[in-house]
Amino acid sequence: MQWYQEAPPLLPLRSHRFLVSDQQLEDRPVLSVWGSDIIVMGWSLKTFLLKEFAVPLGFYEMVYHEEDKIWYSETKEGIFEREYTFREGRHIPYWQEIILSWSSGWSSFGLEYPRASNSLIAPIVNTYSPEDDQGQQKTFNSF
């Protein structure tokens, strides 16, 4: 209970997106909170909004990959990549502990997850479902 009381409050923005409301933080990120899987959606409200409206604002372009024979979207001028580059001192009190306990959260800080690439999004700690009689660890695909 003490952890929850000391964690910076989260202000709801939309759906499962929340703004960290600690005025003393250098960065006040927007978090996506889906159960215990939490990732940084933008290190500022401005970046989050630009990312949310990237398609209508023309920040993405469709690129055809010849080898895989598929189309995919790519950001123009690396606008979002700069935001998720590792920067020493970037910190979110209390919430960072949960964010980095899942493999999906590491890229939010511009860090490489220490396991093999292209692995499933999985909690670093074992996760079990009480109603599962087989007791197998659960893994999660990215959203």
Side-chain angles (χ1 to χ4, degrees):
M1 187 66 160
Q2 180 182 357
W3 181 96
Y4 179 76
Q5 291 172 338
E6 293 178 7
L10 300 179
L11 300 175
L13 294 175
R14 180 178 80 82
S15 184
H16 56 280
R17 309 291 199 251
F18 300 87
L19 177 68
V20 177
S21 66
D22 187 341
Q23 295 288 328
Q24 296 176 3
L25 291 175
E26 180 182 342
D27 296 303
R28 283 187 301 218
V30 173
L31 303 179
S32 170
V33 180
W34 189 263
S36 64
D37 189 11
I38 303 173
I39 60 172
V40 177
M41 295 299 294
W43 281 94
S44 67
L45 183 58
K46 175 185 174 184
T47 303
F48 168 72
L49 292 172
L50 286 173
K51 195 170 187 178
E52 285 294 297
F53 296 105
V55 172
L57 291 173
F59 292 152
Y60 287 107
E61 60 186 350
M62 295 303 293
V63 178
Y64 187 72
H65 191 273
E66 287 291 335
E67 187 176 319
D68 294 335
K69 306 287 187 225
I70 61 168
W71 287 89
Y72 66 93
S73 60
E74 189 175 89
T75 57
K76 294 180 182 177
E77 301 176 26
I79 185 169
F80 302 119
E81 287 79 5
R82 286 190 301 268
E83 184 69 10
Y84 297 103
T85 302
F86 178 72
R87 193 176 81 214
E88 195 69 45
R90 197 169 247 181
H91 179 67
I92 309 169
Y94 298 95
W95 297 109
Q96 183 169 334
E97 179 182 342
I98 297 174
I99 293 168
L100 295 179
S101 71
W102 284 81
S103 59
S104 58
W106 284 63
S107 61
S108 300
F109 285 84
L111 298 171
E112 186 74 31
Y113 182 61
R115 283 198 187 154
S117 61
N118 298 326
S119 61
L120 290 176
I121 303 300
I124 294 171
V125 295
N126 291 339
T127 303
Y128 298 93
S129 174
E131 58 272 351
D132 182 6
D133 57 356
Q134 297 167 356
Q136 293 181 322
Q137 181 176 348
K138 307 300 177 209
T139 57
F140 301 88
N141 293 324
S142 62
F143 298 104

XYZ file of all heavy atoms in Angstrom, residues 62-72 74:
115
model
N 4.093 4.633 -46.406
C 4.056 3.198 -46.675
C 5.258 2.827 -47.539
O 5.538 3.477 -48.536
C 2.747 2.807 -47.362
C 1.514 3.011 -46.493
S 1.568 2.140 -44.923
C 1.487 0.441 -45.455
N 5.964 1.780 -47.112
C 7.158 1.311 -47.803
C 6.973 -0.170 -48.124
O 6.506 -0.934 -47.279
C 8.411 1.506 -46.917
C 9.657 0.974 -47.597
C 8.576 2.960 -46.534
N 7.336 -0.555 -49.351
C 7.205 -1.953 -49.757
C 8.525 -2.669 -49.542
O 9.580 -2.214 -49.994
C 6.789 -2.060 -51.223
C 6.476 -3.459 -51.661
C 5.319 -4.093 -51.228
C 7.338 -4.148 -52.492
C 5.023 -5.389 -51.623
C 7.050 -5.441 -52.901
C 5.888 -6.054 -52.455
O 5.599 -7.333 -52.837
N 8.497 -3.787 -48.834
C 9.685 -4.592 -48.581
C 9.740 -5.704 -49.627
O 8.921 -6.619 -49.614
C 9.629 -5.176 -47.164
C 10.913 -5.782 -46.735
N 11.240 -7.090 -47.002
C 11.966 -5.253 -46.058
C 12.434 -7.351 -46.503
N 12.903 -6.251 -45.922
N 10.685 -5.592 -50.561
C 10.770 -6.521 -51.694
C 10.965 -7.969 -51.265
O 10.330 -8.872 -51.783
C 11.918 -6.115 -52.617
C 11.651 -4.888 -53.437
C 10.598 -5.094 -54.505
O 10.385 -6.247 -54.948
O 9.975 -4.096 -54.903
N 11.860 -8.189 -50.318
C 12.184 -9.557 -49.910
C 10.989 -10.256 -49.252
O 10.694 -11.412 -49.553
C 13.376 -9.540 -48.945
C 13.888 -10.913 -48.586
C 15.124 -10.822 -47.699
O 15.991 -9.962 -47.966
O 15.214 -11.611 -46.749
N 10.298 -9.564 -48.369
C 9.157 -10.165 -47.670
C 7.840 -10.001 -48.419
O 6.820 -10.562 -48.032
C 9.014 -9.564 -46.272
C 10.176 -9.927 -45.374
O 10.815 -10.969 -45.623
O 10.453 -9.171 -44.425
N 7.854 -9.168 -49.461
C 6.653 -8.923 -50.273
C 5.487 -8.391 -49.435
O 4.354 -8.830 -49.555
C 6.203 -10.201 -51.004
C 7.256 -10.860 -51.845
C 7.530 -10.063 -53.095
C 8.467 -10.836 -54.011
N 9.527 -10.074 -54.567
N 5.797 -7.433 -48.558
C 4.750 -6.816 -47.728
C 4.964 -5.301 -47.665
O 6.058 -4.796 -47.888
C 4.737 -7.372 -46.284
C 6.082 -7.097 -45.587
C 4.395 -8.847 -46.252
C 6.067 -7.349 -44.107
N 3.881 -4.603 -47.369
C 3.934 -3.164 -47.118
C 4.006 -2.951 -45.607
O 3.412 -3.694 -44.843
C 2.681 -2.474 -47.646
C 2.643 -2.386 -49.134
C 2.131 -3.295 -50.000
C 3.151 -1.311 -49.936
N 2.276 -2.870 -51.297
C 2.898 -1.643 -51.284
C 3.780 -0.108 -49.658
C 3.271 -0.807 -52.329
C 4.144 0.720 -50.703
C 3.889 0.370 -52.026
N 4.737 -1.951 -45.184
C 4.768 -1.588 -43.767
C 4.905 -0.071 -43.672
O 5.301 0.600 -44.621
C 5.891 -2.306 -43.014
C 7.286 -1.901 -43.445
C 7.971 -0.893 -42.779
C 7.905 -2.518 -44.525
C 9.241 -0.515 -43.176
C 9.170 -2.155 -44.926
C 9.835 -1.153 -44.245
O 11.084 -0.776 -44.639
N 6.509 3.372 -42.112
C 7.784 3.851 -41.594
C 7.640 5.337 -41.299
O 7.049 6.077 -42.082
C 8.858 3.620 -42.664
C 10.255 3.855 -42.203
C 11.247 3.474 -43.294
O 11.572 4.361 -44.127
O 11.665 2.310 -43.321
